[in-house]
Amino acid sequence: MNQTDQLLPKASSDGATGEILLAQPRGFCAGVDRAITIVEQALQKFGAPIYVRHEIVHNAYVVNDLRSKGAVFIDDLKDVPFGNTVIFSAHGVSPAIKQEAEERGLKIFDATCPLVTKVHVEVGKMRRDGLHIIMIGHRGHPEVEGTMGQAPDGIELVENIQDVESLSLPANSKVAYVTQTTLSVDETKEIVEALKKKFPEIAQPKKQDICYATQNRQDAVKFMAPQVDIVIVVGSPNSSNSNRLKELSEKLGVISYMVDHPSQLNPEWFLGKKRIGLTAGASAPESLAQSIIERIKEMGPRSVRVLDGIIENTEFPLPKGLSLKS
Ligand code: 2E6
Ligand code: F3S
């Protein structure tokens, strides 16, 4: 008997010691699907190398797969030779980055998620309306850099309620807020309440900026967590939306681990755990989730059941110029 066998619960007579419950929805959103397709079609149409500014989405498996097909990921446009093709990641870029790419003579395809672009457009309109903008988001995240870059002289970042309290804006400032698309829905509500208390006249986005995929995956974890003893989140450490799913499980009192490869699973996590919940961030492919489920099943027989939940049918069109027919 090896060490792993000793750690595993004994199989019951029907062969299954427990269940793996899958959150619905989980995994890819429409914006991620579109962004990956843009890179794949650019590779097919124009051939390697295709340069991608920043990781196309925050998932190591996706990035490695595209790299193996000829994508070259860079963070500085100076690393793209003059005249080559560059794709902007799903997280979006500032106008300054677009301008730099144009000045370098690069052929640009923009894989910015249309729901991030919606926030960019909102910021532009708010500025034209003379509003000072407060962005709720995580410092250093590329989406925050891209959105704040839409109004470099009129936007402040707040990450939490303390930041709201220490905000000092000129008296009589007319203010509005926007948010990153992948925040915790519940924490953002609290920050917005604090903003409304401080600025009773604050203008808000017409529709919340947290996207449908973030909202749905968090709702699905809220439904799943009370039914399980442990939650596995499939996602990479730099993925904001995946981290929010892990945090949410923990807030709901269920221990949670984030993994982006089956080898990261530790058999000890599952000791004595009858029901395992599994979800996946918006940038984590279902094939990766399936390989993680298979590894969990190797550690002890378990049946797999998809929980009830929303079936998403959002789709975004591809940018022009990538059709493989012409
Ligand atoms: C673009 C915008 C929002 O870290 P984050 O959750 O933002 O990003 P990914 O790549 O993990 O998820 C998809 C995404 C792309 N979300
Ligand atoms: Fe877009 Fe939301 Fe996905 S902003 S990339 S639909 S997580």
Side-chain angles (χ1 to χ4, degrees), residues 47-86:
I50 292 289
Y51 291 84
V52 183
R53 184 185 177 275
H54 193 71
E55 293 190 351
I56 185 74
V57 296
H58 289 150
N59 186 270
Y61 179 96
V62 169
V63 168
N64 288 335
D65 179 56
L66 292 173
R67 192 177 280 130
S68 75
K69 294 174 180 166
V72 177
F73 294 91
I74 49 99
D75 278 303
D76 189 338
L77 289 178
K78 291 186 185 58
D79 295 330
V80 187
F82 193 89
N84 270 251
T85 300
V86 70

mmCIF file of all heavy atoms in Angstrom, residues 47-86:
data_model
loop_
_atom_site.group_PDB
_atom_site.id
_atom_site.type_symbol
_atom_site.label_atom_id
_atom_site.label_comp_id
_atom_site.label_asym_id
_atom_site.label_seq_id
_atom_site.Cartn_x
_atom_site.Cartn_y
_atom_site.Cartn_z
ATOM 1 N N GLY A 47 -0.164 32.876 -39.869
ATOM 2 C CA GLY A 47 1.010 32.059 -39.531
ATOM 3 C C GLY A 47 1.768 32.620 -38.339
ATOM 4 O O GLY A 47 1.636 33.798 -37.997
ATOM 5 N N ALA A 48 2.595 31.758 -37.708
ATOM 6 C CA ALA A 48 3.391 32.179 -36.549
ATOM 7 C C ALA A 48 4.572 33.029 -37.013
ATOM 8 O O ALA A 48 5.007 32.879 -38.167
ATOM 9 C CB ALA A 48 3.884 30.951 -35.797
ATOM 10 N N PRO A 49 5.108 33.925 -36.195
ATOM 11 C CA PRO A 49 4.610 34.214 -34.842
ATOM 12 C C PRO A 49 3.481 35.244 -34.855
ATOM 13 O O PRO A 49 3.458 36.119 -35.717
ATOM 14 C CB PRO A 49 5.847 34.808 -34.143
ATOM 15 C CG PRO A 49 6.592 35.509 -35.241
ATOM 16 C CD PRO A 49 6.326 34.714 -36.502
ATOM 17 N N ILE A 50 2.575 35.104 -33.896
ATOM 18 C CA ILE A 50 1.583 36.136 -33.634
ATOM 19 C C ILE A 50 1.891 36.645 -32.226
ATOM 20 O O ILE A 50 1.981 35.851 -31.279
ATOM 21 C CB ILE A 50 0.142 35.559 -33.688
ATOM 22 C CG1 ILE A 50 -0.218 35.139 -35.117
ATOM 23 C CG2 ILE A 50 -0.874 36.554 -33.124
ATOM 24 C CD1 ILE A 50 -0.432 36.285 -36.108
ATOM 25 N N TYR A 51 2.088 37.943 -32.098
ATOM 26 C CA TYR A 51 2.420 38.518 -30.794
ATOM 27 C C TYR A 51 1.131 38.819 -30.022
ATOM 28 O O TYR A 51 0.145 39.276 -30.617
ATOM 29 C CB TYR A 51 3.262 39.783 -30.960
ATOM 30 C CG TYR A 51 4.642 39.443 -31.478
ATOM 31 C CD1 TYR A 51 4.885 39.274 -32.844
ATOM 32 C CD2 TYR A 51 5.691 39.231 -30.580
ATOM 33 C CE1 TYR A 51 6.135 38.911 -33.313
ATOM 34 C CE2 TYR A 51 6.956 38.873 -31.043
ATOM 35 C CZ TYR A 51 7.173 38.719 -32.407
ATOM 36 O OH TYR A 51 8.412 38.354 -32.862
ATOM 37 N N VAL A 52 1.157 38.548 -28.730
ATOM 38 C CA VAL A 52 -0.005 38.831 -27.882
ATOM 39 C C VAL A 52 0.475 39.665 -26.710
ATOM 40 O O VAL A 52 1.412 39.269 -26.005
ATOM 41 C CB VAL A 52 -0.669 37.528 -27.362
ATOM 42 C CG1 VAL A 52 -1.922 37.864 -26.544
ATOM 43 C CG2 VAL A 52 -1.016 36.593 -28.520
ATOM 44 N N ARG A 53 -0.147 40.856 -26.551
ATOM 45 C CA ARG A 53 0.266 41.707 -25.433
ATOM 46 C C ARG A 53 -0.417 41.214 -24.167
ATOM 47 O O ARG A 53 -1.622 41.208 -24.069
ATOM 48 C CB ARG A 53 -0.108 43.169 -25.667
ATOM 49 C CG ARG A 53 0.414 44.061 -24.539
ATOM 50 C CD ARG A 53 -0.026 45.488 -24.677
ATOM 51 N NE ARG A 53 0.447 46.257 -23.542
ATOM 52 C CZ ARG A 53 -0.201 46.339 -22.389
ATOM 53 N NH1 ARG A 53 -1.327 45.693 -22.197
ATOM 54 N NH2 ARG A 53 0.300 47.063 -21.404
ATOM 55 N N HIS A 54 0.391 40.760 -23.216
ATOM 56 C CA HIS A 54 -0.067 40.208 -21.946
ATOM 57 C C HIS A 54 -0.644 38.804 -22.204
ATOM 58 O O HIS A 54 -0.923 38.434 -23.348
ATOM 59 C CB HIS A 54 -1.103 41.146 -21.288
ATOM 60 C CG HIS A 54 -1.371 40.773 -19.855
ATOM 61 N ND1 HIS A 54 -0.459 40.956 -18.854
ATOM 62 C CD2 HIS A 54 -2.451 40.198 -19.266
ATOM 63 C CE1 HIS A 54 -0.967 40.527 -17.713
ATOM 64 N NE2 HIS A 54 -2.169 40.050 -17.934
ATOM 65 N N GLU A 55 -0.850 38.029 -21.156
ATOM 66 C CA GLU A 55 -1.483 36.713 -21.337
ATOM 67 C C GLU A 55 -2.873 36.954 -21.899
ATOM 68 O O GLU A 55 -3.627 37.761 -21.340
ATOM 69 C CB GLU A 55 -1.601 35.987 -19.985
ATOM 70 C CG GLU A 55 -0.281 35.594 -19.392
ATOM 71 C CD GLU A 55 -0.448 34.662 -18.188
ATOM 72 O OE1 GLU A 55 -1.572 34.466 -17.712
ATOM 73 O OE2 GLU A 55 0.577 34.139 -17.741
ATOM 74 N N ILE A 56 -3.234 36.244 -22.959
ATOM 75 C CA ILE A 56 -4.522 36.497 -23.624
ATOM 76 C C ILE A 56 -5.663 36.387 -22.600
ATOM 77 O O ILE A 56 -6.601 37.190 -22.600
ATOM 78 C CB ILE A 56 -4.722 35.574 -24.849
ATOM 79 C CG1 ILE A 56 -5.992 35.922 -25.599
ATOM 80 C CG2 ILE A 56 -4.740 34.092 -24.474
ATOM 81 C CD1 ILE A 56 -5.916 37.164 -26.408
ATOM 82 N N VAL A 57 -5.612 35.371 -21.749
ATOM 83 C CA VAL A 57 -6.451 35.283 -20.548
ATOM 84 C C VAL A 57 -5.542 34.725 -19.458
ATOM 85 O O VAL A 57 -4.485 34.167 -19.759
ATOM 86 C CB VAL A 57 -7.690 34.361 -20.758
ATOM 87 C CG1 VAL A 57 -8.617 34.937 -21.816
ATOM 88 C CG2 VAL A 57 -7.300 32.930 -21.103
ATOM 89 N N HIS A 58 -5.951 34.884 -18.206
ATOM 90 C CA HIS A 58 -5.078 34.503 -17.096
ATOM 91 C C HIS A 58 -5.186 33.009 -16.792
ATOM 92 O O HIS A 58 -5.707 32.606 -15.744
ATOM 93 C CB HIS A 58 -5.429 35.335 -15.857
ATOM 94 C CG HIS A 58 -5.027 36.762 -15.981
ATOM 95 N ND1 HIS A 58 -5.693 37.802 -15.365
ATOM 96 C CD2 HIS A 58 -3.999 37.343 -16.664
ATOM 97 C CE1 HIS A 58 -5.101 38.944 -15.662
ATOM 98 N NE2 HIS A 58 -4.070 38.702 -16.451
ATOM 99 N N ASN A 59 -4.686 32.209 -17.721
ATOM 100 C CA ASN A 59 -4.684 30.768 -17.471
ATOM 101 C C ASN A 59 -3.444 30.140 -18.096
ATOM 102 O O ASN A 59 -3.241 30.252 -19.315
ATOM 103 C CB ASN A 59 -5.956 30.113 -18.031
ATOM 104 C CG ASN A 59 -6.020 28.657 -17.632
ATOM 105 O OD1 ASN A 59 -5.528 27.797 -18.340
ATOM 106 N ND2 ASN A 59 -6.581 28.379 -16.464
ATOM 107 N N ALA A 60 -2.644 29.497 -17.257
ATOM 108 C CA ALA A 60 -1.348 28.975 -17.699
ATOM 109 C C ALA A 60 -1.516 27.910 -18.783
ATOM 110 O O ALA A 60 -0.731 27.858 -19.741
ATOM 111 C CB ALA A 60 -0.601 28.393 -16.505
ATOM 112 N N TYR A 61 -2.545 27.064 -18.655
ATOM 113 C CA TYR A 61 -2.765 25.989 -19.638
ATOM 114 C C TYR A 61 -3.071 26.590 -21.011
ATOM 115 O O TYR A 61 -2.508 26.177 -22.030
ATOM 116 C CB TYR A 61 -3.932 25.123 -19.145
ATOM 117 C CG TYR A 61 -4.307 23.973 -20.041
ATOM 118 C CD1 TYR A 61 -3.808 22.692 -19.815
ATOM 119 C CD2 TYR A 61 -5.175 24.166 -21.116
ATOM 120 C CE1 TYR A 61 -4.158 21.634 -20.641
ATOM 121 C CE2 TYR A 61 -5.528 23.112 -21.952
ATOM 122 C CZ TYR A 61 -5.016 21.858 -21.704
ATOM 123 O OH TYR A 61 -5.368 20.820 -22.522
ATOM 124 N N VAL A 62 -3.953 27.590 -21.030
ATOM 125 C CA VAL A 62 -4.336 28.240 -22.295
ATOM 126 C C VAL A 62 -3.109 28.907 -22.919
ATOM 127 O O VAL A 62 -2.845 28.770 -24.119
ATOM 128 C CB VAL A 62 -5.447 29.291 -22.047
ATOM 129 C CG1 VAL A 62 -5.675 30.154 -23.274
ATOM 130 C CG2 VAL A 62 -6.737 28.614 -21.611
ATOM 131 N N VAL A 63 -2.355 29.623 -22.099
ATOM 132 C CA VAL A 63 -1.194 30.368 -22.608
ATOM 133 C C VAL A 63 -0.144 29.399 -23.165
ATOM 134 O O VAL A 63 0.385 29.606 -24.259
ATOM 135 C CB VAL A 63 -0.617 31.271 -21.481
ATOM 136 C CG1 VAL A 63 0.747 31.829 -21.854
ATOM 137 C CG2 VAL A 63 -1.598 32.399 -21.173
ATOM 138 N N ASN A 64 0.113 28.309 -22.434
ATOM 139 C CA ASN A 64 1.121 27.341 -22.910
ATOM 140 C C ASN A 64 0.677 26.676 -24.206
ATOM 141 O O ASN A 64 1.483 26.444 -25.115
ATOM 142 C CB ASN A 64 1.400 26.268 -21.844
ATOM 143 C CG ASN A 64 2.194 26.859 -20.681
ATOM 144 O OD1 ASN A 64 2.906 27.861 -20.858
ATOM 145 N ND2 ASN A 64 2.064 26.279 -19.508
ATOM 146 N N ASP A 65 -0.629 26.382 -24.282
ATOM 147 C CA ASP A 65 -1.157 25.745 -25.497
ATOM 148 C C ASP A 65 -0.976 26.679 -26.703
ATOM 149 O O ASP A 65 -0.498 26.256 -27.765
ATOM 150 C CB ASP A 65 -2.645 25.426 -25.265
ATOM 151 C CG ASP A 65 -3.262 24.785 -26.490
ATOM 152 O OD1 ASP A 65 -2.730 23.765 -26.932
ATOM 153 O OD2 ASP A 65 -4.268 25.325 -27.003
ATOM 154 N N LEU A 66 -1.331 27.948 -26.533
ATOM 155 C CA LEU A 66 -1.202 28.888 -27.658
ATOM 156 C C LEU A 66 0.263 29.144 -27.996
ATOM 157 O O LEU A 66 0.632 29.306 -29.154
ATOM 158 C CB LEU A 66 -1.928 30.204 -27.342
ATOM 159 C CG LEU A 66 -3.467 30.088 -27.269
ATOM 160 C CD1 LEU A 66 -4.072 31.399 -26.788
ATOM 161 C CD2 LEU A 66 -4.050 29.700 -28.637
ATOM 162 N N ARG A 67 1.095 29.143 -26.957
ATOM 163 C CA ARG A 67 2.546 29.337 -27.199
ATOM 164 C C ARG A 67 3.071 28.195 -28.060
ATOM 165 O O ARG A 67 3.840 28.410 -29.000
ATOM 166 C CB ARG A 67 3.272 29.397 -25.849
ATOM 167 C CG ARG A 67 4.692 29.878 -25.957
ATOM 168 C CD ARG A 67 5.368 29.989 -24.603
ATOM 169 N NE ARG A 67 5.037 31.199 -23.870
ATOM 170 C CZ ARG A 67 4.626 31.245 -22.619
ATOM 171 N NH1 ARG A 67 4.464 30.129 -21.919
ATOM 172 N NH2 ARG A 67 4.367 32.397 -22.031
ATOM 173 N N SER A 68 2.604 26.991 -27.764
ATOM 174 C CA SER A 68 3.083 25.827 -28.542
ATOM 175 C C SER A 68 2.623 25.913 -30.004
ATOM 176 O O SER A 68 3.197 25.291 -30.884
ATOM 177 C CB SER A 68 2.616 24.515 -27.911
ATOM 178 O OG SER A 68 1.234 24.329 -28.175
ATOM 179 N N LYS A 69 1.573 26.708 -30.257
ATOM 180 C CA LYS A 69 1.073 26.851 -31.634
ATOM 181 C C LYS A 69 1.698 28.055 -32.350
ATOM 182 O O LYS A 69 1.356 28.338 -33.492
ATOM 183 C CB LYS A 69 -0.453 27.006 -31.613
ATOM 184 C CG LYS A 69 -1.182 25.754 -31.125
ATOM 185 C CD LYS A 69 -2.683 26.000 -30.976
ATOM 186 C CE LYS A 69 -3.407 24.760 -30.488
ATOM 187 N NZ LYS A 69 -4.785 25.060 -30.022
ATOM 188 N N GLY A 70 2.516 28.824 -31.611
ATOM 189 C CA GLY A 70 3.229 29.922 -32.272
ATOM 190 C C GLY A 70 2.908 31.321 -31.765
ATOM 191 O O GLY A 70 3.411 32.309 -32.312
ATOM 192 N N ALA A 71 2.092 31.426 -30.706
ATOM 193 C CA ALA A 71 1.838 32.756 -30.128
ATOM 194 C C ALA A 71 3.050 33.159 -29.274
ATOM 195 O O ALA A 71 3.656 32.315 -28.606
ATOM 196 C CB ALA A 71 0.578 32.730 -29.279
ATOM 197 N N VAL A 72 3.387 34.442 -29.321
ATOM 198 C CA VAL A 72 4.494 34.956 -28.505
ATOM 199 C C VAL A 72 3.915 36.011 -27.560
ATOM 200 O O VAL A 72 3.379 37.025 -28.010
ATOM 201 C CB VAL A 72 5.592 35.589 -29.394
ATOM 202 C CG1 VAL A 72 6.711 36.184 -28.535
ATOM 203 C CG2 VAL A 72 6.144 34.550 -30.374
ATOM 204 N N PHE A 73 3.989 35.740 -26.267
ATOM 205 C CA PHE A 73 3.393 36.646 -25.283
ATOM 206 C C PHE A 73 4.434 37.656 -24.818
ATOM 207 O O PHE A 73 5.534 37.277 -24.423
ATOM 208 C CB PHE A 73 2.827 35.842 -24.098
ATOM 209 C CG PHE A 73 1.658 34.988 -24.523
ATOM 210 C CD1 PHE A 73 1.856 33.681 -24.959
ATOM 211 C CD2 PHE A 73 0.379 35.508 -24.533
ATOM 212 C CE1 PHE A 73 0.786 32.907 -25.394
ATOM 213 C CE2 PHE A 73 -0.699 34.745 -24.974
ATOM 214 C CZ PHE A 73 -0.496 33.446 -25.403
ATOM 215 N N ILE A 74 4.067 38.928 -24.903
ATOM 216 C CA ILE A 74 4.998 40.000 -24.516
ATOM 217 C C ILE A 74 4.220 40.996 -23.626
ATOM 218 O O ILE A 74 2.998 41.047 -23.681
ATOM 219 C CB ILE A 74 5.561 40.744 -25.769
ATOM 220 C CG1 ILE A 74 4.415 41.143 -26.744
ATOM 221 C CG2 ILE A 74 6.563 39.888 -26.515
ATOM 222 C CD1 ILE A 74 3.955 42.485 -26.668
ATOM 223 N N ASP A 75 4.950 41.721 -22.795
ATOM 224 C CA ASP A 75 4.269 42.745 -21.995
ATOM 225 C C ASP A 75 4.637 44.139 -22.454
ATOM 226 O O ASP A 75 4.009 45.111 -22.071
ATOM 227 C CB ASP A 75 4.571 42.547 -20.495
ATOM 228 C CG ASP A 75 3.647 41.470 -19.914
ATOM 229 O OD1 ASP A 75 2.421 41.634 -20.022
ATOM 230 O OD2 ASP A 75 4.162 40.450 -19.428
ATOM 231 N N ASP A 76 5.704 44.228 -23.276
ATOM 232 C CA ASP A 76 6.157 45.530 -23.758
ATOM 233 C C ASP A 76 6.112 45.505 -25.291
ATOM 234 O O ASP A 76 6.749 44.646 -25.920
ATOM 235 C CB ASP A 76 7.599 45.748 -23.263
ATOM 236 C CG ASP A 76 8.071 47.167 -23.532
ATOM 237 O OD1 ASP A 76 7.504 47.827 -24.432
ATOM 238 O OD2 ASP A 76 9.019 47.590 -22.841
ATOM 239 N N LEU A 77 5.371 46.459 -25.869
ATOM 240 C CA LEU A 77 5.221 46.465 -27.336
ATOM 241 C C LEU A 77 6.561 46.618 -28.057
ATOM 242 O O LEU A 77 6.665 46.286 -29.239
ATOM 243 C CB LEU A 77 4.268 47.590 -27.749
ATOM 244 C CG LEU A 77 2.782 47.377 -27.399
ATOM 245 C CD1 LEU A 77 1.951 48.587 -27.819
ATOM 246 C CD2 LEU A 77 2.238 46.122 -28.064
ATOM 247 N N LYS A 78 7.580 47.090 -27.326
ATOM 248 C CA LYS A 78 8.905 47.239 -27.960
ATOM 249 C C LYS A 78 9.472 45.878 -28.363
ATOM 250 O O LYS A 78 10.393 45.783 -29.172
ATOM 251 C CB LYS A 78 9.872 47.961 -27.013
ATOM 252 C CG LYS A 78 9.480 49.415 -26.832
ATOM 253 C CD LYS A 78 10.495 50.197 -26.018
ATOM 254 C CE LYS A 78 9.994 51.622 -25.763
ATOM 255 N NZ LYS A 78 8.685 51.652 -25.046
ATOM 256 N N ASP A 79 8.902 44.808 -27.772
ATOM 257 C CA ASP A 79 9.373 43.465 -28.108
ATOM 258 C C ASP A 79 8.700 42.896 -29.361
ATOM 259 O O ASP A 79 8.941 41.744 -29.730
ATOM 260 C CB ASP A 79 9.161 42.513 -26.927
ATOM 261 C CG ASP A 79 10.021 42.905 -25.739
ATOM 262 O OD1 ASP A 79 11.108 43.467 -25.972
ATOM 263 O OD2 ASP A 79 9.599 42.703 -24.585
ATOM 264 N N VAL A 80 7.828 43.703 -29.987
ATOM 265 C CA VAL A 80 7.194 43.256 -31.238
ATOM 266 C C VAL A 80 7.915 43.938 -32.405
ATOM 267 O O VAL A 80 7.932 45.175 -32.486
ATOM 268 C CB VAL A 80 5.690 43.654 -31.296
ATOM 269 C CG1 VAL A 80 5.028 43.030 -32.535
ATOM 270 C CG2 VAL A 80 4.971 43.230 -30.026
ATOM 271 N N PRO A 81 8.507 43.136 -33.296
ATOM 272 C CA PRO A 81 9.212 43.762 -34.424
ATOM 273 C C PRO A 81 8.250 44.602 -35.270
ATOM 274 O O PRO A 81 7.082 44.228 -35.436
ATOM 275 C CB PRO A 81 9.733 42.559 -35.227
ATOM 276 C CG PRO A 81 9.679 41.394 -34.289
ATOM 277 C CD PRO A 81 8.595 41.680 -33.304
ATOM 278 N N PHE A 82 8.745 45.704 -35.782
ATOM 279 C CA PHE A 82 7.970 46.647 -36.600
ATOM 280 C C PHE A 82 7.176 45.896 -37.667
ATOM 281 O O PHE A 82 7.685 44.996 -38.319
ATOM 282 C CB PHE A 82 8.926 47.658 -37.248
ATOM 283 C CG PHE A 82 8.223 48.836 -37.852
ATOM 284 C CD1 PHE A 82 7.948 49.967 -37.089
ATOM 285 C CD2 PHE A 82 7.813 48.802 -39.181
ATOM 286 C CE1 PHE A 82 7.272 51.050 -37.641
ATOM 287 C CE2 PHE A 82 7.143 49.873 -39.746
ATOM 288 C CZ PHE A 82 6.872 50.998 -38.970
ATOM 289 N N GLY A 83 5.893 46.268 -37.818
ATOM 290 C CA GLY A 83 5.077 45.718 -38.902
ATOM 291 C C GLY A 83 4.430 44.370 -38.609
ATOM 292 O O GLY A 83 3.667 43.861 -39.420
ATOM 293 N N ASN A 84 4.737 43.753 -37.444
ATOM 294 C CA ASN A 84 4.127 42.447 -37.126
ATOM 295 C C ASN A 84 2.699 42.602 -36.593
ATOM 296 O O ASN A 84 2.210 43.714 -36.388
ATOM 297 C CB ASN A 84 4.989 41.721 -36.089
ATOM 298 C CG ASN A 84 6.056 40.857 -36.741
ATOM 299 O OD1 ASN A 84 5.995 39.642 -36.719
ATOM 300 N ND2 ASN A 84 7.053 41.509 -37.341
ATOM 301 N N THR A 85 2.069 41.444 -36.361
ATOM 302 C CA THR A 85 0.687 41.443 -35.844
ATOM 303 C C THR A 85 0.706 41.334 -34.326
ATOM 304 O O THR A 85 1.425 40.500 -33.770
ATOM 305 C CB THR A 85 -0.092 40.245 -36.437
ATOM 306 O OG1 THR A 85 -0.108 40.392 -37.859
ATOM 307 C CG2 THR A 85 -1.520 40.189 -35.914
ATOM 308 N N VAL A 86 -0.117 42.164 -33.671
ATOM 309 C CA VAL A 86 -0.243 42.076 -32.214
ATOM 310 C C VAL A 86 -1.712 41.965 -31.844
ATOM 311 O O VAL A 86 -2.576 42.579 -32.472
ATOM 312 C CB VAL A 86 0.436 43.277 -31.492
ATOM 313 C CG1 VAL A 86 -0.325 44.589 -31.698
ATOM 314 C CG2 VAL A 86 0.559 42.996 -29.994
#
